[in-house]
Amino acid sequence: MAKSELTPSQRTSKIPACAGMIIDSGSHGRRKEENMASEKKYFRIEGEAVHLVTERIERTVTLSDLMGEVAKEGGITTPILPLGCRFFSAKGANATFVIEQAPCTRPVTWLNMGRDNGKWKLAFPFVVFVITTQSGNGIAGSRVFYRTAPLGSVDNLLLSTNLGNTNLNGQMCTGSMRIAGTTPAQKVESFVAEFWHSAWNTDINESFNAHQHIQEVSSLARWEEKSAKNPFFPLSIKWREYGKLIDIIEL
């Protein structure tokens, strides 16, 4: 028996791979779209009228891939970032800022280290702060590291410091530091400034002790003397390696 031309049917035909939307799913280059166009016919009844409708689906992709492409097109807008911020990430109520400061000679206060007033002028290499803020609660975490070159990637290696009140893993004892500001950027800038202005002591001195085998920084007096002669000498020091930035930042 011959089919009526009004009988719904479905057929599938190939279309060129370059047609329509192309979505790259990522690292393995797998394509999520169906490289086929499907066409189907169905009846649509409106009162006494019966319509034969042909519907054509040009391409099918997964919802997650489509939303990923939309996000790429939409871009990203960050908040105002702190001075020297090289990396920023936010997740939920937490935000992580990576601050890099260029080599320079700084006045610091380091008590019980061989000088009555505790005042020293010391040269430093690149200093990298990894600071996490929490909405409504200020600073939630802080670590500090050295580098002998500027950051260029989250895969870059960080070095342990020889700073006072700092552990070898970079964690900082902030004591009674007072942080000002209302925005995360202001709080981070205030935190970094207060760290340099605070008075360090020998309660946590493991970072300094771990580098005492290096002659140039074996004591603060030698460190200061070397700093006056060559403020960039810390860039040639073989500081203790710690780990990659990507393994430290809180994503």
Side-chain angles (χ1 to χ4, degrees):
M1 179 178 178
K3 286 186 178 180
S4 166
E5 65 177 2
L6 294 181
T7 301
S9 63
Q10 182 171 326
R11 60 187 176 85
T12 302
S13 60
K14 290 187 177 181
I15 62 173
C18 61
M21 179 184 293
I22 297 177
I23 293 180
D24 186 348
S25 64
S27 60
H28 299 292
R30 292 181 292 108
R31 297 180 60 185
K32 294 292 187 180
E33 77 273 13
E34 294 288 341
N35 194 24
M36 306 286 287
S38 63
E39 185 178 285
K40 63 180 180 179
K41 297 179 183 292
Y42 60 90
F43 295 125
R44 186 174 69 210
I45 301 174
E46 296 178 350
E48 290 297 318
V50 179
H51 306 284
L52 174 61
V53 179
T54 301
E55 181 180 88
R56 182 179 177 84
I57 301 174
E58 293 290 345
R59 188 65 55 91
T60 301
V61 298
T62 65
L63 178 61
S64 59
D65 280 349
L66 176 62
M67 296 308 295
E69 290 297 310
V70 171
K72 289 179 184 178
E73 291 296 324
I76 183 172
T77 301
T78 70
I80 296 297
L81 299 175
L83 291 174
C85 186
R86 298 298 304 276
F87 178 87
F88 165 80
S89 70
K91 184 177 182 180
N94 292 344
T96 298
F97 301 85
V98 177
I99 310 298
E100 180 183 80
Q101 295 184 320
C104 68
T105 299
R106 297 178 178 276
V108 299
T109 301
W110 202 332
L111 305 175
N112 305 320
M113 291 292 282
R115 186 170 291 171
D116 290 342
N117 64 5
K119 304 295 184 181
W120 306 88
K121 289 185 178 180
L122 307 175
F124 296 92
F126 289 91
V127 180
V128 177
F129 293 89
V130 181
I131 302 174
T132 300
T133 63
Q134 190 173 56
S135 179
N137 295 314
I139 305 298
S142 58
R143 301 172 81 172
V144 62
F145 301 93
Y146 284 163
R147 272 187 56 79
T148 56
L151 282 168
S153 165
V154 292
D155 290 321
N156 284 165
L157 189 66
L158 299 180
L159 309 171
S160 293
T161 74
N162 63 339
L163 300 175
N165 294 16
T166 304
N167 294 312
L168 282 172
N169 65 0
Q171 290 183 341
M172 308 156 68
C173 177
T174 57
S176 58
M177 282 173 48
R178 302 292 183 184
I179 308 303
T182 55
T183 68
Q186 291 171 343
K187 291 177 180 179
V188 169
E189 288 181 6
S190 174
F191 178 89
V192 172
E194 285 300 311
F195 172 76
W196 290 118
H197 294 155
S198 63
W200 305 337
N201 54 40
T202 55
D203 290 350
I204 301 177
N205 230 29
E206 68 175 31
S207 294
F208 179 80
N209 295 337
H211 291 90
Q212 276 192 295
H213 65 283
I214 302 173
Q215 183 178 0
E216 293 90 336
V217 293
S218 58
S219 70
L220 294 193
R222 287 186 177 180
W223 187 352
E224 185 177 62
E225 180 182 2
K226 187 70 174 178
S227 299
K229 293 179 180 179
N230 177 15
F232 296 105
F233 87 89
L235 297 177
S236 61
I237 294 293
K238 189 172 179 59
W239 305 102
R240 184 168 178 165
E241 295 182 355
Y242 183 75
K244 293 182 179 180
L245 175 60
I246 188 64
D247 297 325
I248 295 167
I249 54 181
E250 299 180 19
L251 296 177

